[in-house]
Amino acid sequence: LHRATAVMGAAPSGGRVMVWRAEAAASTPIRGGAADVSSFLDSLADSDFIVRADDSVVSCEPAARQGGGGGGEGEAGRYVAAIAPLRLPGLTVRPTAFIRVDRLSDGGLRYTTERVDNAFEGSFRGLAERVTPTITAATTLRAEERCLAAEAEFELTMPLPSWWPIPAPAMDAGGALISRLVEKDTRVSLERVIGEYEARRGAAAAGGAEQQQGGGVRADE
């Protein structure tokens, strides 16, 4: 399931605001009970795996601890990620995202883009640097009955001067592009998380089998 909208509205300070929104949802059958999957998701909250699993993330590192006392040490649950470029008609956006990872009370996990710093290229670079587009995004993972489900939301807001024309085809093309990116990122992230879950499950099973075999040898002796 995925959908996108592209709307143009009036900005409070004058001019216009162009907004592209996209949502995506996916679920995949998974072995193990909901409690096992929730425990696995809880363990991911203590690492950067969930951030790196996002297909749009090129690289990430722990965010510098705020307050000046960290000496470069990472702040738990917060990361800085280089994001794959977003190529729009006449404009390429290269974002650096500041992402927070949260445990949810229902056993799920959410990673939220708190802030994005953008670098721009293309014919509309000068305009983009003046209008400062805003990107917000969040993805939630939850264990459901015999499956792992993901829901993602993405929004790109760009204030524009009233004189700048936005052809309808450009609006539609931008919305379709963002929809495809969000759908792909959600699907690939879910696949990678499930792959990690299955790998840990297999390693645990193998370790248990080795212990049983070792115990049998000692008993025979």
Side-chain angles (χ1 to χ4, degrees):
L1 170 66
H2 61 98
R3 58 179 178 270
T5 59
V7 298
M8 184 76 70
S13 58
R16 296 172 299 167
V17 175
M18 179 177 62
V19 181
W20 280 309
R21 298 186 184 96
E23 299 177 357
S27 63
T28 299
I30 192 168
R31 294 183 295 172
D36 292 336
V37 180
S38 293
S39 177
F40 164 71
L41 293 177
D42 182 76
S43 72
L44 294 184
D46 295 322
S47 75
D48 65 356
F49 177 84
I50 195 64
V51 178
R52 292 186 290 104
D54 192 307
D55 194 49
S56 67
V57 172
V58 177
S59 63
C60 77
E61 60 185 19
R65 187 179 298 277
Q66 299 178 357
E73 181 181 355
E75 182 174 1
R78 283 183 164 84
Y79 303 92
V80 180
I83 306 299
L86 178 61
R87 304 183 190 279
L88 303 170
L91 182 67
T92 296
V93 185
R94 299 186 183 276
T96 298
F98 296 77
I99 299 172
R100 185 184 76 245
V101 179
D102 294 306
R103 292 178 172 91
L104 302 180
S105 59
D106 60 3
L109 187 68
R110 176 182 295 131
Y111 53 105
T112 304
T113 301
E114 295 187 305
R115 188 180 97 236
V116 177
D117 293 342
N118 297 307
F120 306 103
E121 300 173 2
S123 56
F124 295 130
R125 172 186 173 184
L127 177 61
E129 290 175 342
R130 292 196 299 271
V131 299
T132 313
T134 301
I135 296 175
T136 58
T139 299
T140 301
L141 296 171
R142 285 188 174 92
E144 297 182 351
E145 187 64 26
R146 298 184 181 279
C147 72
L148 181 62
E151 296 180 354
E153 300 176 349
F154 178 95
E155 180 175 295
L156 171 63
T157 302
M158 183 178 293
L160 299 170
S162 57
W163 52 263
W164 194 46
I166 303 293
M171 290 285 290
D172 294 341
L177 173 62
I178 289 174
S179 178
R180 290 194 299 270
L181 290 174
V182 172
E183 186 278 331
K184 177 175 177 286
D185 287 350
T186 304
R187 172 173 47 80
V188 172
S189 295
L190 187 59
E191 291 172 354
R192 290 176 177 173
V193 170
I194 290 177
E196 178 69 8
Y197 171 78
E198 294 292 354
R200 293 190 188 184
R201 183 182 173 91
E210 290 178 359
Q211 289 182 353
Q212 289 181 352
Q213 292 175 356
V217 171
R218 288 192 295 271
D220 292 340
E221 293 175 349

